[in-house]
Amino acid sequence: MNTAIEEVYSSLKEQFRGDLLRPGEDEYADARPIWNGMVARTPRLIARCAEVSDVQTAVRVAAASGVLTAVRCGGHSLAGFGTCDGGMVVDLSRMRQVTVDREAARGWFAGGCLLGSVDVATQKEGLAFPAGVVSHTGASGLILGGGFGWLTRRHGLSCDNVEGFTLVTADGSIAHADRKENADLFWALRGGGGNFGIVTEFEVKLHPVTSVLFGEGLCLRDDIPRVLRRWREFMPEAPDNLKWNLSLRLAPYTENVPADVHGSPVVSESVVWIGDPEEGRRYLDYVLSFCTPVAVTKKVMSFLALQTMADDEFPHGRRYYTKSGYFMSLDDSSIDQMVQALTTVPSPMSQIELAYLGGAAARVGAAETAFGDRSSPFVVNLLGNWSDASDDAGNVSWIRNLFKVLRPSMTPGVYVNFMSGDEEDRVAEAYRERWERLVAVKSHYDPTNFFRLNQNIPAHKAVGKSDHD
Ligand SMILES: Cc1cc2nc3c(=O)[nH]c(=O)nc-3n(C[C@H](O)[C@H](O)[C@H](O)COP(=O)(O)OP(=O)(O)OC[C@H]3O[C@@H](n4cnc5c(N)ncnc54)[C@H](O)[C@@H]3O)c2cc1C
């Protein structure tokens, strides 16, 4: 162990209430890996905090010694920012308390919560927080980058539903940010990622949602481009209650899919209606009539079932690589390129994911939060997902090649939470006209760029010190 980290360990040992895990010690092996198996790093110390004072101590001691520090909530950063080689990880996984006030439709949750922790607690009170679609994702990373999922068109981005943040800043002190107090920081935390401190508590608005109408189906062959075109034309006029996602992929080998379709290129449609199911059924039937789908499901399901439905598709430890972007409008040639690329996809688990935002998320002004882009409603995420390290090169180059072909038709910009670890050069592109204001807030709260393992916004004084490892 090198001297600086040894010093950090010795100082923390005196005062830390949580767990201090070092290589070779009990629990370290389980605590080391993050979700993306492509990012296998070895921190020299994992400081698993039990309470807010642990977070403060860890930050103060690490900042004083200059030890590289990663912050981890759910460890789902696609880029792998929840870990590092050689330094320390501040791990928040023991801090998962959630409190709900049903009458006020408000929730408070700690900085280590997974989406599932939040959903389970809020659903007990008949309320829901708008967030992502996989329950083992960390709530902190998702919200700080923006956060979208099934409720976004109806109730806005996750960050739009935050009323206040409590955080530990780079000097180890506690700050609160809301519309009145530290308003610039409040603005920056809604989209600006983990650049400004470690959030220990979120105060959020909740919404009365306990069940949804859900439909899905797979369309094949000539129906694939037809559905994409109908989707492109229909969504701008769709009611906010409707979320209709598409995924180009190879048909899964599951029981509900006819055997002769297994492994064939398909567009998989998932449709969610939030609100009156009778009204929703008309929309669901209409949308699913744009092709002749197989493996069709239409049912009312609980919100918790919806939120955990995709959990098994994205297990911990597999190899993942992404490239993402926005389209203002989806042209025919981009549709054809995506459909064509499907014929050469190297892994049956990889997908070209398409979502349409708009709705409540688009009605928040561009300057109201730091979130990257609300003007381009079409989001594409090229998500490589495979098991074997020997297949890395083929899978990564498939994603990169498709992205290169699509890029000229995209609007500049990218959702920070869908970025890979090799896209540092796109961070300023992600924030565009919000960049200078973000740099100013960063310079105030973290002038030495202590929090730099993220989609990094360097402070004025620390330009050039944005190393990621
Ligand atoms: C399977 C899967 C499904 C996903 N689905 C969606 C989705 O539906 N919608 C969506 O919008 N995104 C989705 N994402 C992307 C997701 O938003 C990001 O991967 C996000 O970074 C995950 O947050 P985390 O806390 O798990 O990550 P971590 O790896 O723990 O952290 C990510 C970043 O956030 C910072 N951070 C973490 N906790 C804190 C904290 N308490 N305070 C300050 N900074 C912190 C870290 O320093 C790091 O830079 C998904 C990702 C995966 C892997």
Side-chain angles (χ1 to χ4, degrees), residues 35 71 73-77 92 132-133 138 140-141 144 148 197 199 415 417 453:
W35 172 81
V71 180
C73 170
H76 275 42
S77 158
L92 303 169
V133 302
S140 287
L144 291 167
F148 47 76
V199 176
Y415 174 37
N417 279 346
L453 293 178

Side-chain angles (χ1 to χ4, degrees), residues 34-36 69-83 90 92 110-115 131-150 152 157-158 166-168 189 193-202 310-311 313-315 320 353 371 381 383 415-419 451-455:
I34 57 165
W35 172 81
N36 188 351
T69 301
V71 180
R72 187 189 302 172
C73 170
H76 275 42
S77 158
L78 294 146
F81 289 135
T83 188
V90 176
L92 303 169
C113 280
L114 304 182
L115 298 186
V133 302
V134 173
S135 78
H136 48 74
T137 312
S140 287
L142 180 134
I143 299 169
L144 291 167
F148 47 76
W150 294 118
T152 306
L157 297 172
S158 304
T166 304
L167 67 158
V168 173
L189 287 165
N195 276 285
F196 312 98
I198 302 183
V199 176
T200 52
E201 187 177 81
F202 297 84
D311 282 6
E313 274 196 65
F314 307 101
Y320 300 95
E353 299 177 322
F371 179 75
N381 189 28
L383 178 58
Y415 174 37
V416 287
N417 279 346
F418 285 174
M419 288 170 73
F451 298 109
R452 61 183 181 275
L453 293 178
N454 43 43
Q455 275 81 25

Side-chain angles (χ1 to χ4, degrees), residues 92-114:
L92 303 169
S93 62
R94 279 181 60 176
M95 297 173 64
R96 292 199 173 149
Q97 306 85 340
V98 184
T99 309
V100 180
D101 180 337
R102 182 202 287 255
E103 295 303 310
R106 282 287 162 106
W108 294 260
F109 51 84
C113 280
L114 304 182

Side-chain angles (χ1 to χ4, degrees), residues 218-220 223 226 288-294 296:
L218 304 176
C219 301
L220 296 101
D223 272 346
R226 185 175 307 134
L288 291 175
S289 72
F290 291 161
C291 73
T292 316
V294 299
V296 177

